Every structure is written in structure tokens, then in C-alpha cells.
Amino acid sequence: MAAVTPTSPKSPKQDRSRATRRRLLEAAVASLAEHGWAGSTVSVVAERAGVSRGAAQHHFPTREDLFTAAVEYVAEERSAALRAVPGQDRAAVVAALVDLYTGPLFRAALQLWVAASNEEQLRPRVTELEARVGRETHRIAVSLLHADETRPGVRETVQGLLDMARGLGLANVLTDDTARRARVVRQWAALVEEGLGPDLPAYGS
């Protein structure tokens, strides 16, 4: 008779803990996007997530811990969204990259960047995180675009595309920039196609 492996009594508690943490991160992202750093406190986020302030501080002892983790969560969501972009032509990839910088995830990250420029205790954590996110985003973009970075100028073309996408995201913060952005994206798609050269097979194929 096969032995029955007992279910760990901690599993339901761990599941609840993970669910609480996720609710807090999602609430923090939403709060940053809607109310900015000044209007986003641990108490506000805890109430939005439907948990007590004590429960929030159990997961994230300080405000900086909470919102740095929230932006890291944003970064992971952004990377997951990028990886989910189907194999399409480069113009579609360019449009998808720009879309990532014009939604609530980018808006939340932007609020933390602004806060970090004035908060000494926050700045090094956000700077390190953004450097890591930037490297990962660049790597994914290279893969999606089938770019050969051994060719002169290709790395700079990809980085220029990401810088442009970030700039379009900034332009969209105050006003709806959809119509102008569509024209710019079409032009950049043509420039990227020219700058990257012949399309290569997808990495790993």
C-alpha cells in the first residue's frame, strides 16, 4: 500500500500570505498611478487592499519597502507582457513596446521615479531596480526584434527605440497623445526596420 504524503498544514496559510502580498502590491501600483507618491501611504494601500495596516507592515515594514516592491512587481508584469508578444513583424513589436510605456504600470513607475529624485532613502533602491529593469527590457526587445547586436549601430537603434517609447509615455501623462503617437510609432517602425537590417530567425528557433 502506497504511503500517503501528508499535506503541509502551512500551505493554506502560505497561500493566504501570498494572496495578501499580491493584493498589497496591486493596490500600491494603482494608488501610485492614481494619486502619486504624496497621496500613497501604507494606510491608504492597506485599506485599498482590504487588509489591516499591521498586516501590510508585516509584509512590508516600511513605506519604501512597499513601493519599491510594487514597482518591481510592475517591472515583472511588464516583462511578462513583453514575453507574451507573439512573433510578429517588427512594426507590431515596436507598437507593443510603446504600449507598455503608456499605461498605468508605467504611470506608477514614473511616480516612484519622481519621488526617488527627492527621497534620499528611496533613490538608491529605485536606481538599482531601474537599471536592472532597463537591462531586461533591452534584452527582451532584442529578442523580439530579432536584432543582431554584433552589427554596428544595432544596439543603439534598440536603445533609441526604448528611449523614444519612454518619452512617448511621458508625453501621454498629462494629455491623450494617441493620434500623434500613432504617427510617430509608424515612422519609428520604419527607422527600426532600416537600422536593424534583415529580419533574423527568432532566437532559439
Side-chain angles (χ1 to χ4, degrees):
M1 180 176 176
V4 177
T5 302
T7 302
S8 170
K10 294 183 179 179
S11 294
K13 184 176 180 180
Q14 290 171 342
D15 288 344
R16 288 195 299 272
S17 179
R18 283 193 292 267
T20 297
R21 179 183 173 88
R22 184 179 180 90
R23 287 203 308 274
L24 285 165
L25 292 174
E26 290 175 346
V29 169
S31 182
L32 275 175
E34 293 174 19
H35 306 299
W37 174 256
S40 298
T41 64
V42 175
S43 295
V44 166
V45 171
E47 181 177 358
R48 186 168 191 145
V51 304
S52 68
R53 179 185 172 90
Q57 290 181 313
H58 171 73
H59 287 275
F60 306 102
T62 69
R63 187 186 188 198
E64 290 75 25
D65 290 334
L66 172 59
F67 287 102
T68 303
V71 171
E72 187 160 17
Y73 173 75
V74 167
E76 290 169 357
E77 291 288 294
R78 194 167 70 188
S79 293
L82 270 178
R83 293 189 190 96
V85 172
Q88 303 175 26
D89 60 30
R90 283 171 170 165
V93 171
V94 169
L97 288 167
V98 170
D99 285 345
L100 290 176
Y101 289 95
T102 53
L105 295 182
F106 174 74
R107 189 180 293 265
L110 176 61
Q111 293 293 340
L112 198 66
W113 296 346
V114 173
S117 69
N118 297 311
E119 301 272 348
E120 288 293 335
Q121 71 273 26
L122 193 59
R123 188 181 306 157
R125 299 173 68 168
V126 174
T127 300
E128 188 278 330
L129 174 60
E130 282 304 313
R132 180 154 43 88
V133 170
R135 290 191 295 270
E136 175 68 1
T137 303
H138 185 101
R139 187 189 67 77
I140 296 172
V142 167
S143 178
L144 289 173
L145 292 165
H146 307 160
D148 178 6
E149 288 197 310
T150 64
R151 296 180 60 243
V154 166
R155 179 175 181 80
E156 290 75 17
T157 297
V158 174
Q159 191 58 54
L161 165 62
L162 295 175
D163 290 343
M164 181 275 298
R166 189 179 296 110
L168 289 176
L170 288 171
N172 198 59
V173 168
L174 295 178
T175 60
D176 184 353
D177 201 38
T178 303
R180 187 183 72 89
R181 185 169 68 247
R183 295 193 298 272
V184 173
V185 169
R186 283 196 297 272
Q187 180 61 24
W188 261 90
L191 293 172
V192 166
E193 190 67 54
E194 180 181 349
L196 298 187
D199 198 354
L200 301 173
Y203 290 177
S205 62

